[in-house]
Amino acid sequence: MARLSITDQLADLRRAYTGENLSQAVPAVRGGELLPDATTEAQRQLEAKVLLAGCTAASMLQLMPPASIIRPSHAFRTVEPGETPKLHLSERALGPLLFELLPRTEAGYGMGVARLTHRQYRRSAELTTGDAGVVLAGVDESAWDLGMRYVRWMHEFRGVEYTDGGGNDEETPEAATGSTLLRRVHLWHDASWLRALPMGTGWFVEWPGGPAEDEIRARLAHPEFGTAREITLRRTEAPAQDVEENMRTYPWPEEFVSAVTAGEPDQGAARR
């Protein structure tokens, strides 16, 4: 078997952190970008908030019919790191992610990212605050419209007061660490889910099942692809029992239920 070139070896290493395919990773490595970090505080802030939103959105995905905590639930499949990172989302993750990110006022509190706006392109969408942004790869206009139908339904269901303005403009502590984790989020793709949040002078990361703590610790300590930032790791056991029946009664609108339960057992008559 032919020995892999240094470029191929580095591309394979990068893919373990980002989830990219070879056509994405190889050109970046050849261009000298082994795994770049965000270069501005505004970009680090936005990426940290995107990671937090993605963790919350994944929790909502677990409630989507057929509700289950047995199957893995992640908002992000792949992250292409760069000046403006490209995020490839998991199936059905767009709506829950947009609900968490887009500015709103709920129960008198600003939530979502203040001043975050949307730019639509033919094959992607960009979320930007003006001085920072992320690209949602593969999100064309029809996909965006479907995601926004979910957001509008959640606004009605949750009693959101208004969406013009609003949002939260507080800085996320240690945002550089959150950004670093987002750009390496594929390390946890085999876990049941991922929870990450700022804590003290670092971040706390917890996941059930999937990679061992020692494996993640070694990956994060890699001299080229890792990070020296303070991250506390904790792995727990994957859930052995699925959700209880009363968790299967979330009042999903018919369009979301029918779209995701084709060929699957439905949630029962009490679901709505």
Side-chain angles (χ1 to χ4, degrees):
M1 181 180 296
R3 186 182 177 198
L4 291 177
S5 69
I6 294 298
T7 296
D8 289 338
Q9 293 176 47
L10 291 173
D12 281 345
L13 266 174
R14 172 169 158 141
R15 293 173 63 206
Y17 292 79
T18 66
E20 296 167 293
N21 58 37
L22 282 173
S23 65
Q24 295 162 336
V26 169
V29 169
R30 285 177 176 163
E33 295 186 339
L34 295 185
L35 209 168
D37 286 331
T39 58
T40 68
E41 180 60 18
Q43 187 66 36
R44 291 188 285 267
Q45 283 289 334
L46 178 58
E47 291 181 25
K49 292 171 183 177
V50 167
L51 176 63
L52 292 169
C55 291
T56 304
S59 299
M60 186 57 70
L61 291 177
Q62 291 174 320
L63 292 176
M64 282 187 167
S68 174
I69 61 170
I70 297 296
R71 68 173 186 266
S73 178
H74 300 278
F76 310 113
R77 290 188 297 107
T78 301
V79 176
E80 296 181 62
E83 183 176 353
T84 302
K86 296 180 181 178
L87 310 178
H88 298 253
L89 304 183
S90 299
E91 185 181 6
R92 299 188 283 174
L94 177 61
L97 182 68
L98 292 179
F99 175 73
E100 298 300 328
L101 284 174
L102 294 177
R104 68 188 194 275
T105 296
E106 188 170 339
Y109 293 94
M111 305 182 76
V113 180
R115 299 178 300 280
L116 190 68
T117 59
H118 158 243
R119 295 173 182 166
Q120 186 62 55
Y121 304 101
R122 189 162 67 93
R123 295 183 179 177
S124 64
E126 183 180 6
L127 297 175
T128 177
T129 58
D131 53 3
V134 295
V135 170
L136 307 179
V139 176
D140 59 14
E141 188 172 358
S142 63
W144 178 266
D145 289 344
L146 179 61
M148 287 304 297
R149 288 207 300 273
Y150 173 93
V151 171
R152 287 190 290 271
W153 170 71
M154 281 293 288
H155 286 171
E156 181 179 353
F157 179 66
R158 297 273 290 268
V160 171
E161 296 165 20
Y162 62 86
T163 56
D164 293 333
N168 187 331
D169 58 4
E170 293 182 4
E171 292 192 349
T172 299
E174 304 298 331
T177 306
S179 169
T180 290
L181 290 168
L182 177 68
R183 291 172 178 237
R184 293 158 176 80
V185 74
H186 190 70
L187 291 174
W188 289 275
H189 76 284
D190 286 334
S192 297
W193 60 78
L194 176 68
R195 301 288 180 265
L197 69 158
M199 182 177 292
T201 59
W203 277 58
F204 174 75
V205 178
E206 181 182 60
W207 68 98
E213 283 184 23
D214 287 346
E215 177 184 344
I216 295 295
R217 191 168 287 109
R219 292 285 193 183
L220 293 178
H222 191 280
E224 300 293 345
F225 293 93
T227 177
R229 301 193 179 278
E230 183 179 335
I231 301 170
T232 300
L233 304 173
R234 184 168 74 181
R235 180 191 185 274
T236 61
E237 293 302 314
Q241 294 183 333
D242 213 337
V243 296
E244 298 178 358
E245 188 62 30
N246 61 5
M247 291 186 66
R248 299 178 182 273
T249 59
Y250 206 80
W252 297 104
E254 186 62 42
E255 69 169 311
F256 299 122
V257 174
S258 60
V260 300
T261 57
E264 298 280 355
D266 73 13
Q267 306 265 77
R271 69 176 183 261
R272 293 184 297 280

